[in-house]
Amino acid sequence: MKSVRVLLSTIILSAFASIAQGAGLDVGIVLPTKDEPRWIQDQARFQAVLKTAGFSSEILFSQGDSAKERANVEALLTKGAKVIIICPHDGAAAAAAANEARRSKAKVISYDRLILNSAAVDYYVTFDSVQVGAAWGTYLSSQATGKGHNLYLYAGAASDNNAFLFFEGAWGVLQPKLADGTFVVCNSSEANGLKGKAKLSREEMARIIGQVTTNWSFNDAKSKAEANLTAANKAMKGIAYVCAPNDGTARAIADVFAMDKDVKKFFITGQDAEKASIQYIIDGRQSMTVLKDTRVLASDAVAAAVAYLKGGAPAKAKTYPNGKIDVPAKPTAVITITKANVKAAITGSGYYPASDFKNLK
Ligand code: BGC
Protein backbone atom coordinates (compact mmCIF):
# COMPACT_ATOMS: atom_id res chain seq x y z
CA MET A 1 0.00 0.00 0.00
CA LYS A 2 2.73 2.36 1.04
CA SER A 3 4.68 1.63 -2.14
CA VAL A 4 1.54 2.38 -4.24
CA ARG A 5 1.21 5.73 -2.45
CA VAL A 6 4.88 6.48 -3.07
CA LEU A 7 4.48 5.49 -6.72
CA LEU A 8 1.35 7.65 -7.09
CA SER A 9 2.95 10.68 -5.50
CA THR A 10 6.00 10.19 -7.74
CA ILE A 11 3.72 10.18 -10.81
CA ILE A 12 1.90 13.33 -9.63
CA LEU A 13 5.15 15.06 -8.79
CA SER A 14 6.66 14.23 -12.15
CA ALA A 15 3.49 15.42 -13.91
CA PHE A 16 3.96 18.77 -12.14
CA ALA A 17 7.62 18.80 -12.91
CA SER A 18 6.84 18.46 -16.60
CA ILE A 19 4.79 21.65 -16.37
CA ALA A 20 7.15 23.44 -14.02
CA GLN A 21 10.44 22.49 -15.61
CA GLY A 22 9.40 20.82 -18.83
CA ALA A 23 9.86 17.24 -19.96
CA GLY A 24 11.69 18.25 -23.09
CA LEU A 25 10.95 21.73 -24.24
CA ASP A 26 7.80 23.47 -22.99
CA VAL A 27 7.54 26.57 -25.16
CA GLY A 28 9.15 27.36 -28.52
CA ILE A 29 9.19 30.93 -29.81
CA VAL A 30 9.84 31.86 -33.43
CA LEU A 31 10.46 35.52 -34.34
CA PRO A 32 10.67 36.87 -37.92
CA THR A 33 14.12 38.51 -38.19
CA LYS A 34 17.11 39.78 -36.27
CA ASP A 35 17.57 42.54 -38.84
CA GLU A 36 15.03 44.91 -37.30
CA PRO A 37 15.41 46.39 -33.79
CA ARG A 38 11.71 45.71 -33.17
CA TRP A 39 12.19 41.92 -32.99
CA ILE A 40 15.44 42.07 -31.04
CA GLN A 41 13.52 44.05 -28.50
CA ASP A 42 10.76 41.44 -28.40
CA GLN A 43 13.43 38.78 -27.80
CA ALA A 44 14.79 40.77 -24.84
CA ARG A 45 11.28 41.30 -23.45
CA PHE A 46 10.57 37.56 -23.77
CA GLN A 47 13.84 36.71 -22.03
CA ALA A 48 12.92 39.03 -19.15
CA VAL A 49 9.48 37.43 -18.67
CA LEU A 50 10.76 33.89 -19.19
CA LYS A 51 13.34 34.23 -16.40
CA THR A 52 10.57 33.85 -13.84
CA ALA A 53 8.08 31.82 -15.90
CA GLY A 54 9.20 28.46 -14.49
CA PHE A 55 9.23 26.46 -17.72
CA SER A 56 11.77 25.69 -20.42
CA SER A 57 11.80 27.71 -23.61
CA GLU A 58 13.84 28.50 -26.69
CA ILE A 59 13.72 31.45 -29.10
CA LEU A 60 14.64 31.06 -32.80
CA PHE A 61 14.70 33.61 -35.65
CA SER A 62 13.51 32.99 -39.22
CA GLN A 63 15.49 35.74 -40.97
CA GLY A 64 12.64 36.69 -43.28
CA ASP A 65 12.40 33.19 -44.74
CA SER A 66 9.23 31.08 -44.46
CA ALA A 67 11.15 27.83 -45.12
CA LYS A 68 13.49 28.60 -42.23
CA GLU A 69 10.48 29.50 -40.09
CA ARG A 70 8.92 26.11 -40.75
CA ALA A 71 12.24 24.34 -40.07
CA ASN A 72 12.44 26.28 -36.77
CA VAL A 73 8.95 25.14 -35.79
CA GLU A 74 9.81 21.55 -36.70
CA ALA A 75 13.02 21.69 -34.64
CA LEU A 76 11.10 22.98 -31.62
CA LEU A 77 8.40 20.32 -32.02
CA THR A 78 11.10 17.64 -32.23
CA LYS A 79 12.41 18.89 -28.90
CA GLY A 80 8.92 18.35 -27.48
CA ALA A 81 7.49 21.90 -27.50
CA LYS A 82 3.94 21.90 -26.15
CA VAL A 83 3.25 25.50 -27.10
CA ILE A 84 4.60 27.29 -30.18
CA ILE A 85 4.54 31.09 -30.27
CA ILE A 86 5.07 32.34 -33.84
CA CYS A 87 5.36 35.79 -35.28
CA PRO A 88 5.10 34.81 -38.94
CA HIS A 89 7.30 36.28 -41.62
CA ASP A 90 4.51 35.62 -44.13
CA GLY A 91 1.05 35.11 -42.63
CA ALA A 92 -0.26 32.74 -45.30
CA ALA A 93 2.93 30.71 -45.69
CA ALA A 94 3.03 30.13 -41.91
CA ALA A 95 -0.22 28.11 -42.11
CA ALA A 96 1.80 24.97 -42.93
CA ALA A 97 3.94 25.36 -39.79
CA ALA A 98 0.85 25.97 -37.64
CA ASN A 99 -0.87 22.88 -39.07
CA GLU A 100 2.21 20.84 -38.33
CA ALA A 101 2.28 22.04 -34.73
CA ARG A 102 -1.39 21.09 -34.37
CA ARG A 103 -0.63 17.60 -35.72
CA SER A 104 2.03 17.32 -32.98
CA LYS A 105 -0.63 18.36 -30.44
CA ALA A 106 1.14 21.62 -29.65
CA LYS A 107 -0.87 24.80 -29.05
CA VAL A 108 -0.18 27.63 -31.49
CA ILE A 109 -0.09 31.27 -30.41
CA SER A 110 0.18 33.84 -33.19
CA TYR A 111 2.31 36.73 -31.95
CA ASP A 112 1.79 40.31 -33.21
CA ARG A 113 1.12 39.12 -36.78
CA LEU A 114 -1.78 36.79 -37.57
CA ILE A 115 -1.20 33.38 -39.20
CA LEU A 116 -3.68 33.22 -42.08
CA ASN A 117 -5.79 30.43 -43.63
CA SER A 118 -5.21 27.87 -40.90
CA ALA A 119 -7.63 26.38 -38.39
CA ALA A 120 -4.65 25.47 -36.19
CA VAL A 121 -4.21 28.90 -34.62
CA ASP A 122 -5.34 28.67 -30.99
CA TYR A 123 -4.77 32.25 -29.87
CA TYR A 124 -3.53 35.63 -31.03
CA VAL A 125 -1.74 38.21 -28.88
CA THR A 126 -1.49 41.51 -30.66
CA PHE A 127 -1.60 45.25 -30.48
CA ASP A 128 -4.65 47.00 -31.83
CA SER A 129 -3.17 47.39 -35.31
CA VAL A 130 -6.17 49.24 -36.76
CA GLN A 131 -5.60 51.82 -34.01
CA VAL A 132 -1.95 52.17 -35.08
CA GLY A 133 -3.05 53.22 -38.57
CA ALA A 134 -5.78 55.44 -37.16
CA ALA A 135 -3.11 57.18 -35.02
CA TRP A 136 -1.16 58.05 -38.20
CA GLY A 137 -4.27 59.43 -39.87
CA THR A 138 -5.24 61.43 -36.80
CA TYR A 139 -1.75 62.88 -36.41
CA LEU A 140 -1.40 63.91 -40.07
CA SER A 141 -4.92 65.38 -40.16
CA SER A 142 -4.25 67.38 -37.00
CA GLN A 143 -1.36 69.14 -38.78
CA ALA A 144 -3.31 70.06 -41.91
CA THR A 145 -5.69 73.00 -42.13
CA GLY A 146 -7.06 74.15 -45.47
CA LYS A 147 -7.09 72.17 -48.70
CA GLY A 148 -4.81 70.54 -51.22
CA HIS A 149 -2.03 69.19 -48.99
CA ASN A 150 0.47 66.74 -50.47
CA LEU A 151 0.09 63.26 -49.01
CA TYR A 152 2.56 60.45 -49.58
CA LEU A 153 1.36 56.99 -48.57
CA TYR A 154 3.66 54.08 -47.73
CA ALA A 155 2.75 50.61 -46.47
CA GLY A 156 4.24 47.47 -44.95
CA ALA A 157 4.73 44.11 -46.66
CA ALA A 158 1.63 42.65 -48.33
CA SER A 159 2.59 39.24 -46.90
CA ASP A 160 1.97 40.67 -43.39
CA ASN A 161 -1.69 40.85 -42.39
CA ASN A 162 -0.82 43.79 -40.13
CA ALA A 163 0.04 45.89 -43.18
CA PHE A 164 -3.66 45.66 -44.12
CA LEU A 165 -4.88 46.44 -40.60
CA PHE A 166 -2.58 49.49 -40.35
CA PHE A 167 -3.73 50.64 -43.78
CA GLU A 168 -7.40 50.11 -42.90
CA GLY A 169 -6.97 52.25 -39.76
CA ALA A 170 -5.17 55.02 -41.64
CA TRP A 171 -7.66 54.98 -44.52
CA GLY A 172 -10.57 55.23 -42.09
CA VAL A 173 -9.29 58.61 -40.88
CA LEU A 174 -7.66 59.90 -44.07
CA GLN A 175 -10.31 58.96 -46.64
CA PRO A 176 -12.81 61.69 -45.62
CA LYS A 177 -9.90 64.15 -45.90
CA LEU A 178 -9.17 62.85 -49.41
CA ALA A 179 -12.83 63.10 -50.33
CA ASP A 180 -13.08 66.72 -49.10
CA GLY A 181 -9.79 67.76 -50.73
CA THR A 182 -7.76 68.39 -47.54
CA PHE A 183 -5.19 65.91 -48.84
CA VAL A 184 -4.19 64.86 -52.34
CA VAL A 185 -2.27 61.59 -52.69
CA CYS A 186 0.92 62.22 -54.68
CA ASN A 187 2.19 58.68 -55.13
CA SER A 188 -0.67 56.25 -55.73
CA SER A 189 -3.07 56.32 -58.68
CA GLU A 190 -5.00 53.46 -57.03
CA ALA A 191 -5.55 55.52 -53.84
CA ASN A 192 -6.68 58.48 -55.94
CA GLY A 193 -9.11 56.27 -57.85
CA LEU A 194 -10.59 54.98 -54.59
CA LYS A 195 -10.66 58.25 -52.65
CA GLY A 196 -14.47 58.39 -52.64
CA LYS A 197 -14.79 54.99 -50.96
CA ALA A 198 -14.91 54.88 -47.16
CA LYS A 199 -14.51 51.14 -46.71
CA LEU A 200 -12.10 49.29 -48.97
CA SER A 201 -12.15 45.58 -49.70
CA ARG A 202 -8.97 43.61 -49.05
CA GLU A 203 -8.41 43.43 -52.79
CA GLU A 204 -8.73 47.24 -53.12
CA MET A 205 -6.30 47.75 -50.26
CA ALA A 206 -3.94 45.26 -51.89
CA ARG A 207 -3.95 47.36 -55.07
CA ILE A 208 -2.90 50.48 -53.17
CA ILE A 209 -0.42 48.61 -50.97
CA GLY A 210 1.04 47.08 -54.15
CA GLN A 211 1.95 50.60 -55.33
CA VAL A 212 3.28 51.96 -52.05
CA THR A 213 4.75 48.98 -50.22
CA THR A 214 8.12 49.19 -48.49
CA ASN A 215 8.15 45.41 -47.92
CA TRP A 216 9.23 46.45 -44.40
CA SER A 217 12.67 47.06 -45.94
CA PHE A 218 14.67 50.25 -45.29
CA ASN A 219 16.24 50.01 -48.75
CA ASP A 220 12.92 49.54 -50.53
CA ALA A 221 11.50 52.45 -48.52
CA LYS A 222 14.42 54.67 -49.49
CA SER A 223 14.24 53.82 -53.20
CA LYS A 224 10.48 54.21 -53.31
CA ALA A 225 10.68 57.63 -51.66
CA GLU A 226 13.45 58.68 -54.06
CA ALA A 227 11.42 57.51 -57.07
CA ASN A 228 8.32 59.33 -55.75
CA LEU A 229 10.17 62.61 -55.28
CA THR A 230 11.86 62.31 -58.67
CA ALA A 231 8.44 61.91 -60.28
CA ALA A 232 6.87 64.77 -58.27
CA ASN A 233 6.78 68.34 -59.52
CA LYS A 234 7.59 71.32 -57.27
CA ALA A 235 3.94 71.84 -56.32
CA MET A 236 3.82 68.28 -54.99
CA LYS A 237 6.71 69.05 -52.62
CA GLY A 238 6.68 72.24 -50.51
CA ILE A 239 5.00 70.90 -47.40
CA ALA A 240 4.57 67.11 -47.44
CA TYR A 241 2.53 64.80 -45.24
CA VAL A 242 4.04 61.32 -45.17
CA CYS A 243 2.26 58.25 -43.85
CA ALA A 244 5.20 55.92 -43.13
CA PRO A 245 4.39 52.43 -41.81
CA ASN A 246 7.07 51.88 -39.14
CA ASP A 247 10.10 53.54 -37.61
CA GLY A 248 12.77 51.84 -39.72
CA THR A 249 11.09 52.78 -42.99
CA ALA A 250 10.12 56.22 -41.58
CA ARG A 251 13.77 57.09 -40.93
CA ALA A 252 14.75 55.90 -44.41
CA ILE A 253 11.94 57.95 -46.03
CA ALA A 254 12.52 60.98 -43.77
CA ASP A 255 16.19 61.09 -44.78
CA VAL A 256 15.13 61.19 -48.46
CA PHE A 257 12.56 63.96 -47.91
CA ALA A 258 15.04 65.94 -45.80
CA MET A 259 17.59 65.87 -48.67
CA ASP A 260 15.18 67.32 -51.28
CA LYS A 261 15.61 71.09 -51.43
CA ASP A 262 12.08 71.58 -52.75
CA VAL A 263 10.59 69.92 -49.67
CA LYS A 264 10.44 72.82 -47.22
CA LYS A 265 8.78 70.93 -44.39
CA PHE A 266 7.33 67.49 -43.85
CA PHE A 267 5.34 65.57 -41.27
CA ILE A 268 6.04 61.86 -41.02
CA THR A 269 4.55 59.01 -38.99
CA GLY A 270 6.02 55.73 -37.70
CA GLN A 271 5.52 52.99 -35.15
CA ASP A 272 7.45 50.85 -32.67
CA ALA A 273 9.13 53.62 -30.65
CA GLU A 274 12.53 52.34 -31.75
CA LYS A 275 15.37 54.06 -29.93
CA ALA A 276 16.73 55.56 -33.15
CA SER A 277 13.30 57.04 -33.92
CA ILE A 278 12.89 58.41 -30.41
CA GLN A 279 16.16 60.29 -31.04
CA TYR A 280 14.77 61.41 -34.45
CA ILE A 281 11.65 62.73 -32.70
CA ILE A 282 13.74 64.57 -30.10
CA ASP A 283 15.80 66.05 -32.95
CA GLY A 284 12.71 66.99 -35.04
CA ARG A 285 13.56 64.58 -37.88
CA GLN A 286 10.50 62.30 -37.41
CA SER A 287 7.16 63.72 -36.25
CA MET A 288 5.57 60.86 -34.36
CA THR A 289 5.74 57.19 -33.56
CA VAL A 290 3.29 54.75 -32.03
CA LEU A 291 4.43 53.08 -28.85
CA LYS A 292 3.51 49.42 -28.78
CA ASP A 293 4.65 48.24 -25.37
CA THR A 294 6.43 44.97 -26.14
CA ARG A 295 6.67 44.22 -22.42
CA VAL A 296 2.89 43.76 -22.40
CA LEU A 297 2.84 41.64 -25.56
CA ALA A 298 5.58 39.28 -24.40
CA SER A 299 3.99 38.81 -21.01
CA ASP A 300 0.54 38.25 -22.56
CA ALA A 301 2.03 35.56 -24.83
CA VAL A 302 3.78 33.88 -21.91
CA ALA A 303 0.61 34.05 -19.78
CA ALA A 304 -1.32 32.38 -22.61
CA ALA A 305 1.36 29.68 -22.86
CA VAL A 306 1.13 29.06 -19.11
CA ALA A 307 -2.65 28.72 -19.35
CA TYR A 308 -2.20 26.03 -22.04
CA LEU A 309 0.56 24.23 -20.12
CA LYS A 310 -1.79 24.01 -17.16
CA GLY A 311 -4.49 22.51 -19.37
CA GLY A 312 -6.63 25.66 -19.51
CA ALA A 313 -7.05 28.42 -22.10
CA PRO A 314 -6.32 32.16 -22.05
CA ALA A 315 -9.18 34.69 -21.87
CA LYS A 316 -10.31 36.23 -25.15
CA ALA A 317 -11.38 39.83 -25.54
CA LYS A 318 -11.99 39.76 -29.29
CA THR A 319 -11.66 37.53 -32.34
CA TYR A 320 -9.78 38.14 -35.60
CA PRO A 321 -10.82 36.32 -38.79
CA ASN A 322 -7.83 34.60 -40.44
CA GLY A 323 -9.55 33.30 -43.57
CA LYS A 324 -10.42 29.95 -41.97
CA ILE A 325 -11.53 30.65 -38.40
CA ASP A 326 -12.14 33.50 -35.99
CA VAL A 327 -9.05 33.41 -33.79
CA PRO A 328 -9.56 34.31 -30.11
CA ALA A 329 -7.35 37.26 -29.28
CA LYS A 330 -6.19 39.82 -26.78
CA PRO A 331 -5.43 43.18 -28.41
CA THR A 332 -3.41 45.80 -26.52
CA ALA A 333 -3.91 49.55 -26.86
CA VAL A 334 -1.22 51.79 -28.37
CA ILE A 335 0.02 55.30 -27.55
CA THR A 336 0.94 58.16 -29.93
CA ILE A 337 4.34 59.67 -29.17
CA THR A 338 5.37 63.14 -30.37
CA LYS A 339 7.98 65.60 -29.18
CA ALA A 340 5.36 66.88 -26.71
CA ASN A 341 5.04 63.66 -24.69
CA VAL A 342 8.21 61.77 -25.57
CA LYS A 343 9.88 62.43 -22.24
CA ALA A 344 6.95 61.43 -20.05
CA ALA A 345 5.82 58.45 -22.13
CA ILE A 346 9.18 56.95 -23.07
CA THR A 347 11.81 57.74 -20.48
CA GLY A 348 9.51 58.87 -17.64
CA SER A 349 7.57 55.62 -17.91
CA GLY A 350 10.76 53.56 -17.72
CA TYR A 351 10.37 52.17 -21.25
CA TYR A 352 13.92 53.32 -22.06
CA PRO A 353 16.47 55.03 -19.79
CA ALA A 354 16.88 58.78 -20.40
CA SER A 355 20.63 58.26 -20.65
CA ASP A 356 20.10 56.52 -24.03
CA PHE A 357 19.16 59.88 -25.63
CA LYS A 358 20.79 63.22 -26.38
CA ASN A 359 19.12 66.64 -25.96
CA LEU A 360 16.04 65.26 -24.21
CA LYS A 361 14.58 68.27 -22.46
C1 BGC B 1 4.79 44.83 -36.75
C2 BGC B 1 5.53 46.16 -36.65
C3 BGC B 1 6.86 46.03 -37.39
C4 BGC B 1 6.66 45.49 -38.78
C5 BGC B 1 7.97 45.21 -39.50
C6 BGC B 1 4.63 44.46 -38.19
O1 BGC B 1 3.93 43.26 -38.30
O2 BGC B 1 3.53 44.94 -36.13
O3 BGC B 1 5.73 46.49 -35.30
O4 BGC B 1 7.49 47.28 -37.46
O5 BGC B 1 5.93 44.30 -38.75
O6 BGC B 1 8.69 44.24 -38.88
Side-chain angles (χ1 to χ4, degrees):
M1 193 59 200
K2 194 171 173 214
S3 65
V4 173
R5 268 209 308 271
V6 170
L7 184 68
L8 267 179
S9 59
T10 314
I11 291 171
I12 291 166
L13 270 177
S14 66
F16 259 93
S18 80
I19 290 176
Q21 287 141 31
L25 187 65
D26 290 314
V27 178
I29 301 166
V30 183
L31 296 175
T33 179
K34 275 190 176 161
D35 294 341
E36 293 173 38
R38 159 75 216 264
W39 306 113
I40 298 289
Q41 199 188 138
D42 287 73
Q43 178 191 33
R45 302 300 195 196
F46 265 119
Q47 284 163 340
V49 189
L50 289 167
K51 245 190 230 163
T52 53
F55 56 76
S56 61
S57 59
E58 188 173 340
I59 305 178
L60 299 175
F61 283 88
S62 311
Q63 292 314 104
D65 176 352
S66 295
K68 177 141 197 225
E69 180 175 272
R70 185 158 178 193
N72 282 340
V73 170
E74 281 165 1
L76 295 165
L77 292 171
T78 304
K79 290 183 181 178
K82 298 163 198 73
V83 179
I84 297 280
I85 299 173
I86 317 178
C87 180
H89 162 61
D90 175 315
N99 296 343
E100 201 161 330
R102 169 69 61 87
R103 280 196 294 277
S104 298
K105 307 236 168 350
K107 294 289 184 189
V108 175
I109 300 172
S110 210
Y111 181 81
D112 193 291
R113 300 177 179 170
L114 188 56
I115 299 168
L116 300 177
N117 305 329
S118 166
V121 188
D122 293 288
Y123 197 62
Y124 181 31
V125 289
T126 183
F127 295 104
D128 189 334
S129 295
V130 174
Q131 276 308 313
V132 172
W136 303 334
T138 303
Y139 175 79
L140 293 174
S141 305
S142 73
Q143 302 302 318
T145 44
K147 304 277 176 200
H149 298 290
N150 301 315
L151 179 67
Y152 290 79
L153 294 174
Y154 295 95
S159 56
D160 176 2
N161 188 56
N162 283 350
F164 288 82
L165 299 176
F166 300 145
F167 193 86
E168 181 189 328
W171 189 260
V173 180
L174 292 173
Q175 183 275 332
K177 304 273 176 186
L178 295 176
D180 74 9
T182 304
F183 289 118
V184 178
V185 179
C186 296
N187 65 335
S188 169
S189 53
E190 293 287 356
N192 278 322
L194 289 161
K195 71 177 184 200
K197 204 164 171 204
K199 194 128 182 68
L200 300 182
S201 68
R202 191 164 176 109
E203 188 270 325
E204 287 165 336
M205 282 193 273
R207 274 172 19 214
I208 303 174
I209 292 173
Q211 289 186 323
V212 302
T213 184
T214 61
N215 293 312
W216 294 134
S217 145
F218 317 145
N219 289 335
D220 288 16
K222 178 172 184 277
S223 0
K224 191 145 279 182
E226 282 167 353
N228 290 159
L229 288 184
T230 303
N233 60 32
K234 256 189 161 176
M236 292 155 90
K237 298 184 179 179
I239 300 177
Y241 294 77
V242 185
C243 189
N246 75 351
D247 283 349
T249 57
R251 294 193 303 278
I253 296 167
D255 290 349
V256 173
F257 275 72
M259 287 283 286
D260 191 311
K261 60 177 185 356
D262 293 325
V263 176
K264 303 296 176 212
K265 187 178 176 149
F266 62 94
F267 300 89
I268 186 164
T269 61
Q271 71 165 308
D272 292 336
E274 285 184 6
K275 277 188 187 169
S277 280
I278 295 303
Q279 189 63 56
Y280 261 49
I281 289 173
I282 295 167
D283 297 342
R285 299 168 73 185
Q286 182 177 327
S287 319
M288 64 86 87
T289 187
V290 180
L291 170 63
K292 308 201 302 187
D293 191 330
T294 47
R295 297 170 298 189
V296 176
L297 207 62
S299 60
D300 281 351
V302 168
V306 169
Y308 287 129
L309 289 173
K310 288 185 173 160
K316 69 165 181 185
K318 195 179 162 162
T319 59
Y320 282 80
N322 82 340
K324 266 262 160 63
I325 55 166
D326 286 334
V327 183
K330 176 164 190 281
T332 293
V334 298
I335 302 170
T336 296
I337 305 292
T338 63
K339 210 169 186 164
N341 68 345
V342 68
K343 194 169 174 188
I346 297 291
T347 56
S349 70
Y351 197 67
Y352 296 137
S355 55
D356 285 352
F357 305 101
K358 286 195 247 46
N359 304 321
L360 180 65
K361 289 186 196 89

